[in-house]
Amino acid sequence: MSKHGMKYPIIAIDGPAAAGKGTLARQLAEVLALPYLDTGLLYRAVARRVLDQGGDPAHDGPEQARQLMPEDMRRDDLRTPEVDRAASLVAKEPEVRAALLERQRLFARARGAVVDGRDIGTVVFPQATAKFFITASPEVRAQRRYIQRYGQSCTDSAALAAEVAAINARDGQDASRQTAPLRPAEDAVQILTDGLDAAAVLEKVCQILQEKGIIRV
Ligand code: CDP
């Protein structure tokens, strides 16, 4: 049993691009003393390998997914706009998703985990202890992505519009794919985070986990 009284809790955090899933999941993992898995990094690392080989992200993902090594996820060039686009393309491929599925489940086997992605509550861990679907308007998410990338907020409306377009394109692709599309699980708690900073989102989630009896106070 964990100190919170649950055996191997798994907390699933899904949602569209740049909604703040990673920040929330990392902080929540710390609060709950659970391991944290950012599943987007797996798809990004596959995409990076395809790009490095001069391959086509729409077709060459499966081979690279099967050869993925732990060090591929530690590279510092996985969050570029080019990799954003290529990750969403490799992620459409059922063979890529199948090659990564067991790896994700194994990660949580020993001690549970906080896991963020697109299909965690629907496909990877349908029996998760708790599921959250984190959203924000495209404009808010574009601004968050810009700050994450450049360390300051964007004052150039054309640059912000380009970021909104890129986010909308990726969400459209992630939500319309056949295999494991981006969508909230039926039993996920949806949280709209416009106007909420990271601390407020964390507080809200912790409060819900307390109400559900997953965190004991
Ligand atoms: O950080 P951000 O929300 O922009 O993206 P990410 O979580 O790093 O995911 C990058 C891409 O990987 C997404 O656009 C999805 O296409 C794909 N992905 C997925 O298909 N399933 C997951 N569980 C996680 C990511």
Side-chain angles (χ1 to χ4, degrees):
M1 296 284 245
S2 77
K3 68 174 181 172
H4 302 290
M6 293 294 300
K7 200 175 181 230
Y8 308 141
I10 294 175
I11 314 290
I13 301 189
D14 290 305
K21 305 179 298 291
T23 306
L24 168 66
R26 196 173 309 108
Q27 292 177 347
L28 189 62
E30 219 173 293
V31 171
L32 301 179
L34 287 173
Y36 163 50
L37 178 63
D38 172 358
T39 62
L41 275 188
L42 299 171
Y43 295 91
R44 289 175 179 277
V46 172
R48 183 74 265 169
R49 286 180 64 114
V50 171
L51 294 172
D52 288 352
Q53 306 275 320
D56 176 355
H59 294 110
D60 301 328
E63 192 191 338
Q64 297 305 327
R66 285 190 285 270
Q67 293 173 21
L68 200 65
M69 304 295 283
E71 56 266 30
D72 291 322
M73 271 75 79
R74 292 194 284 270
R75 290 177 55 155
D76 60 8
D77 54 358
L78 299 180
R79 298 198 182 276
T80 64
E82 187 190 23
V83 175
D84 287 357
R85 286 188 295 274
S88 183
L89 286 172
V90 303
K92 281 169 82 169
E93 196 50 56
E95 271 184 72
V96 169
R97 308 198 71 86
L100 300 178
L101 188 59
E102 207 42 39
R103 202 183 278 254
Q104 296 170 70
R105 290 184 175 155
L106 263 178
F107 181 91
R109 195 154 295 165
R111 295 205 290 128
V114 178
V115 187
D116 86 61
R118 302 289 185 289
D119 60 339
I120 308 307
T122 51
V123 174
V124 182
F125 294 112
Q127 309 300 336
T129 320
K131 302 178 185 179
F132 294 93
F133 194 84
I134 306 297
T135 58
S137 66
E139 291 72 23
V140 168
R141 292 188 283 124
Q143 194 60 268
R144 285 180 187 160
R145 178 49 37 98
Y146 195 92
I147 294 169
Q148 182 186 32
R149 215 168 252 151
Y150 304 107
Q152 58 187 45
S153 54
C154 181
T155 51
D156 173 348
S157 59
L160 197 62
E163 198 70 61
V164 170
I167 279 178
N168 282 336
R170 189 146 61 94
D171 287 347
Q173 192 155 266
D174 289 346
S176 64
R177 68 184 173 221
Q178 295 266 309
T179 312
L182 164 70
R183 64 171 175 81
E186 271 174 24
D187 49 351
V189 177
Q190 299 203 38
I191 300 180
L192 176 67
T193 65
D194 284 8
L196 299 179
D197 65 11
V201 178
L202 178 66
E203 198 184 318
K204 210 175 171 105
V205 165
C206 286
Q207 197 182 338
I208 292 166
L209 291 174
Q210 274 172 24
E211 284 163 13
K212 286 177 179 283
I214 293 165
I215 297 183
R216 289 211 198 112
V217 272

